[in-house]
Amino acid sequence: MIAAIHLSLWQVAATLALVAVAALISTWQRAELERDIGVATLRSFIQLTAIGYVIKLIFDQNRLLFVIALIAGMVVFGALTARRRARGVPDAFWPLLIALALAGTTTLVLVVALGVFPARARYLVPVGGMVIGNAMTAAAVTLNRLGDDVADGAPEIEATLALGATASQAIRPILRRSLRSRLIRLIDSTKTTGLIFFPGTMVGMLLAGAAPVDAVRLQLVLLYVLLGSVAIAALTAALLAYRNFFTPAHQLREPG
Amino acid sequence: MLFSLEDISYKRAGRDVLTDLTVEFTEGTTALVGPSGAGKSTLLRLLNRLADPDAGSVRYRGRDVRDYDVLALRRQVALVPQLPALLVGTVAENVSYGSRLCGKECDVEAALALAGLDITFSERLARQLSVGEQQRVMLARALALKPLVLLLDEPTAALDERARDAVERTLLDLRKRLSAALIIVTHDQAQASRLADRVVHLENGCIQSQGPSAGA
């Protein structure tokens, strides 16, 4: 059993000293990020505190319906956030929503079915949040890259369409490149885990007093879960969104 | 009639590119001439449905182009774009690409020969060729489909004088050897006279004149 760490608000406030260092560097280098740093600090405090109380409520209730509602809320908010990042892709919301929902559902169902975690709020909420957060970034980055690649590769796509290729055939090489670029980053970071950086879960468990072997095992479980869910999210988002670049008559839509 | 376009209007990014345009294209070789921005390339793209007009109709051999299967139409009415846009891979892979899509055999050697390239090019990497050679591979790739109409968008715009003359000779040779109709976009009036039987002159999205070419 891991001993829980109790931090006072004063201890949390003390870490603002490091936020102040970041703001000072920004001022010194005239990066003009002080306001953004302030907003990010305030938002993270409010959002995390609020979600902390929500999670406490859900843990206390331990009802599956509440867990599903919370995860569904995360999926919708994640899709809305990712859409802002994937501006170059027409109507990106639905592909993103489906991608995040699929990644979240598949992952949670699998970890419960395989007996990795019990179907209890205490396990499903943090794992679901982590999966959806990472899936959101992966899907947004993949679509953002896809939008840029389609804009750059428009002559190649049209030349292929002109030979009687379908939209799917014409975009395939570009789709492959966009997916590879996202997944390679994740695979690389998985390869270097433990050598170059200690991932957050492991650090958290070690700080909380867990045995290193337990911390490593849980981290490995989460790493592999993430690898799968990110691949599902990136692939689903790209496969559903690419059609939005084309008309039903296999014509490349004009940007804008 | 090969193509009849009636009351065509087309806007791009809020700008009128083609306005109430009515024109006909017959069999044989037609040059579409006009300055940059006149709407020539857009007009060409309407013929094989890479784009659809905002208003008006495009008819191919008497039928609205929207009534054809769009993929089959593009194989019949092949377009060679202005700039080379070849796939990663060898010349042979590029030339046979369109045929492979529809599950047909491709005579790479014959297609290369029609485009003025010999078989030694087939295993070379397409993107490492000169612009002139890439342009010919683009032509061979379209010819491999055995199209009934060949649309060529400024086929010599990116070439130096020597390469341009060579491509022109190839196109004149194609005219003799192929039964396909050719529609060639060019901004060069003299080239239009050398290559085409008929010239359509386009300016600011409207037809200015049309008739037999000076060289016909």
Side-chain angles (χ1 to χ4, degrees), chain A residues 51-111:
Chain A
I51 202 74
Y53 282 110
V54 172
I55 290 173
K56 183 179 181 314
L57 179 80
I58 291 172
F59 280 10
D60 290 345
Q61 296 289 323
N62 194 25
R63 285 173 62 182
L64 204 57
L65 194 68
F66 283 12
V67 176
I68 292 169
L70 180 72
I71 287 175
M74 286 180 192
V75 165
V76 173
F77 191 72
L80 287 169
T81 308
R83 182 180 61 171
R84 282 201 291 275
R85 291 195 211 163
R87 280 186 197 282
V89 182
D91 306 321
F93 177 71
W94 287 106
L96 285 165
L97 187 80
I98 295 168
L100 299 195
L102 192 67
T105 314
T106 312
T107 311
L108 291 180
V109 167
L110 264 178
V111 291

Side-chain angles (χ1 to χ4, degrees), chain A residues 155-167 169-170 173 177 247-252 254-255, chain B residues 10 12-13 45 48-52 70-71 74-75 79 81 85 87 97-98 101 127 138 141-142 145:
Chain A
E156 183 187 321
I157 294 172
E158 285 222 316
T160 317
L161 291 173
L163 295 169
T166 60
Q169 289 164 333
R177 278 205 295 274
T247 69
H250 305 280
Q251 296 160 331
L252 191 60
E254 283 178 31
Chain B
Y10 184 90
R12 192 166 195 176
R45 287 157 48 83
N48 76 342
R49 288 202 73 199
L50 277 180
D52 285 332
V70 68
L71 305 180
R74 287 179 189 156
R75 288 178 197 127
L79 184 145
L87 301 167
Y97 179 78
L101 288 177
R127 289 188 175 183
M138 295 287 286
R141 191 162 81 160
L145 293 170

Side-chain angles (χ1 to χ4, degrees), chain A residues 90-177:
Chain A
D91 306 321
F93 177 71
W94 287 106
L96 285 165
L97 187 80
I98 295 168
L100 299 195
L102 192 67
T105 314
T106 312
T107 311
L108 291 180
V109 167
L110 264 178
V111 291
V112 170
L114 294 172
V116 182
F117 295 118
R120 282 167 48 196
R122 176 163 290 280
Y123 297 96
L124 296 183
V125 169
V127 175
M130 189 192 68
V131 161
I132 290 160
N134 280 277
M136 178 193 78
T137 309
V141 171
T142 305
L143 290 199
N144 198 19
R145 170 77 195 253
L146 184 63
D148 289 346
D149 285 353
V150 168
D152 294 343
E156 183 187 321
I157 294 172
E158 285 222 316
T160 317
L161 291 173
L163 295 169
T166 60
S168 149
Q169 289 164 333
I171 205 170
R172 196 168 293 158
I174 284 171
L175 199 61
R176 200 177 296 142
R177 278 205 295 274

